[in-house]
Amino acid sequence: MTIAMAVFRCKSDQEQGELLAWLGGDDGLVKTRVYDGCHGIETLSGQDSVVALYERWESVEHHQAYVG
């Protein structure tokens, strides 16, 4: 199993909200969660308009195919 993290530092709380809405929408993480090799992806949001993604993949190759 491979763990990947992505951190997005948004310019404002509004931008953070827009990113979270997109990630939760039909074009967001719904597609990621069914991608071959994805074992799960969690969205974390915090202060200072930060959004992080915690991803679990079958292998490095599966993750690279996804981001490729």
Side-chain angles (χ1 to χ4, degrees):
M1 173 136 343
T2 296
I3 303 297
M5 292 223 30
V7 178
F8 303 92
R9 299 187 191 288
C10 302
K11 294 178 185 177
S12 66
D13 289 345
Q14 178 181 349
E15 188 177 271
Q16 180 189 34
E18 291 169 359
L19 176 58
L20 290 170
W22 181 82
L23 290 170
D26 292 341
D27 288 327
L29 299 180
V30 169
K31 292 181 178 183
T32 304
R33 288 184 175 104
V34 297
Y35 201 88
D36 183 42
C38 182
H39 286 269
I41 184 166
E42 304 299 323
T43 305
L44 310 165
S45 61
Q47 298 175 341
D48 299 327
S49 302
V50 173
V51 175
L53 301 178
Y54 178 82
E55 308 172 31
R56 296 179 312 280
W57 292 89
E58 179 71 28
S59 67
V60 171
E61 293 78 18
H62 283 94
H63 182 256
Q64 288 176 340
Y66 170 72
V67 298

